[in-house]
Amino acid sequence: MISIKNKEFLFTPITDYIISAEKVAHVQVGNNAEHALLVLTKTGYSSIPVLDAQDKLKGLLSMRTVTDSILGLAHIEYERLPDLKVDEIMRTELHTIKSTDTLQKGLDLLIDHPFVCVIKEDGTFSGILTRRVMLKKFKKYIYNIE
Ligand code: AMP
């Protein structure tokens, strides 16, 4: 059985595991839902951050949110996409983390979310911490225990 005796590992800051903002696909609050759908489809990501003109994190947008917003009674109303703004449909209840926070905090959040946004004190978006990066880190750690 594997036991992680050295809990110090969990107190390592997440700093080195962040995918930095410039490498993260995102949309802007003023973009329309058609543009957002294009970005989601082209990148293949299920959910991406929404930023304002000052690079502050404002929400998250997923394929499901976009589809939900144009769901009519009988069919999907694609023609409404250009008139819907991202900030009208994005999710605003966010779980965020700071770059100085620990792997333990990251791990707790990534159990329920595939990625978590990293922000500065003033709300500026600085990147994301993903489940994949965290699992790779744990795999490396566990394989080197004995
Ligand atoms: P992963 O753990 O690599 O599968 O990523 C989990 C989720 O994080 C993806 O489904 C996306 O929603 C988001 N994500 C990962 N990398 C990026 C990126 N470069 N840009 C935008 N979103 C990303």
Side-chain angles (χ1 to χ4, degrees):
M1 191 173 105
I2 297 169
S3 76
I4 299 181
K5 296 211 175 70
N6 184 3
K7 295 259 169 53
E8 262 176 42
F9 161 76
L10 290 170
F11 304 133
T12 315
I14 60 161
T15 329
D16 293 341
Y17 308 105
I18 299 169
I19 298 177
S20 58
E22 59 281 7
K23 292 185 187 143
V24 178
H26 72 274
V27 283
Q28 299 275 331
V29 275
N31 288 151
N32 65 30
E34 185 173 36
H35 174 78
L37 189 59
L38 272 173
V39 175
L40 285 164
T41 308
K42 284 273 179 206
T43 59
Y45 295 128
S46 48
S47 174
I48 51 174
V50 181
L51 308 183
D52 70 8
Q54 285 73 45
D55 287 338
K56 300 256 165 69
L57 176 70
K58 292 292 164 186
L60 286 180
L61 196 80
S62 67
M63 198 65 110
R64 183 180 169 187
T65 321
V66 177
T67 318
D68 256 357
S69 71
I70 53 167
L71 212 55
L73 283 180
H75 66 284
I76 298 175
E77 299 165 351
Y78 289 106
E79 64 281 4
R80 292 179 50 216
L81 282 173
D83 300 325
L84 279 172
K85 291 276 179 281
V86 162
D87 49 326
E88 293 173 310
I89 59 173
M90 67 189 183
R91 270 202 302 118
T92 52
E93 68 290 356
L94 302 169
H95 299 274
T96 58
I97 193 166
K98 295 196 292 292
S99 63
T100 48
D101 282 332
T102 60
L103 286 180
Q104 182 166 36
K105 179 159 184 189
L107 178 66
D108 286 345
L109 287 165
L110 291 172
I111 286 171
D112 292 323
H113 310 280
F115 74 100
V116 56
C117 290
V118 186
I119 57 167
K120 297 187 180 144
E121 292 291 344
D122 66 355
T124 307
F125 176 71
S126 41
I128 56 173
L129 181 68
T130 65
R131 216 177 249 173
R132 181 163 189 269
V133 168
M134 183 65 99
L135 281 173
K136 276 171 77 178
K137 168 77 188 155
F138 268 84
K139 179 180 161 184
K140 201 167 162 200
Y141 180 79
I142 288 165
Y143 283 11
N144 288 322
I145 278 180
E146 254 102 28

